[in-house]
Amino acid sequence: MHRFPGFAYRRECGVAVWRGTLQPRQFSPKYRVAIRYKLSSYPTVNVISPTLASRPPHVWKDGTLCLYYPKEKPWQKDMLLAKTIIPWTALWLYYYELWLDTGKWLGPSSHASDSKLQSWSSNPVEGNSILEKLTEQQTA
């Protein structure tokens, strides 16, 4: 991915896997993430390191990050991961760190009642300007 040269691609058991590092804030730890994508499915993202806090919000029960609600279809198969999933992951990490600081999920949310999500609280806010700033930081 030329937009995120710190990400490396590898094919594992028929699944495309990109691994790379994101740092949502200047003094944040660097998070190592893995993005897995099989053409017949949705991309999934796991944080490899550092280990996330116990029971973080906006994480599916399988441990993958909840970057968007699939039923709302914000991600489509013709979209580039470098323009969607990676910036959304950086934004998720930003809100995760705010959650660590405040105890509240300050990121957008529209599906708090989904039974496939771990238990968490939501407090929706707009995130577009933060997303743009994070994307600029990661590509600089």
Side-chain angles (χ1 to χ4, degrees):
M1 291 184 187
H2 70 279
R3 291 176 185 251
F4 295 92
F7 276 73
Y9 169 79
R10 192 171 163 179
R11 195 142 180 89
E12 298 175 4
C13 301
V15 177
V17 180
W18 291 266
R19 286 185 179 83
T21 303
L22 295 170
Q23 186 175 20
R25 299 189 287 184
Q26 183 178 2
F27 298 108
S28 297
K30 292 182 179 181
Y31 292 88
R32 183 110 173 106
V33 299
I35 300 167
R36 289 174 176 77
Y37 179 52
K38 190 171 184 175
L39 287 177
S40 61
S41 188
Y42 293 99
T44 61
V45 180
N46 290 89
V47 174
I48 299 168
S49 67
T51 302
L52 297 177
S54 178
R55 300 185 56 109
H58 268 279
V59 174
W60 296 105
K61 287 184 178 179
D62 67 0
T64 59
L65 305 185
C66 177
L67 304 179
Y68 60 91
Y69 195 42
K71 290 180 182 178
E72 293 176 354
K73 300 186 180 181
W75 186 85
Q76 301 292 318
K77 292 178 182 181
D78 62 344
M79 294 176 165
L80 297 176
L81 298 177
K83 286 188 174 183
T84 56
I85 300 302
I86 293 176
W88 295 351
T89 301
L91 188 58
W92 187 97
L93 291 167
Y94 175 81
Y95 286 123
Y96 168 75
E97 290 203 344
L98 291 178
W99 171 76
L100 289 174
D101 292 344
T102 67
K104 294 180 185 177
W105 184 261
L106 300 173
S109 172
S110 63
H111 53 282
S113 63
D114 194 301
S115 64
K116 292 181 184 167
L117 279 172
Q118 290 186 6
S119 180
W120 52 271
S121 62
S122 76
N123 187 8
V125 296
E126 290 298 317
N128 291 340
S129 62
I130 295 169
L131 178 59
E132 290 168 7
K133 185 175 180 180
L134 285 170
T135 301
E136 288 172 14
Q137 286 177 344
Q138 298 299 323
T139 58

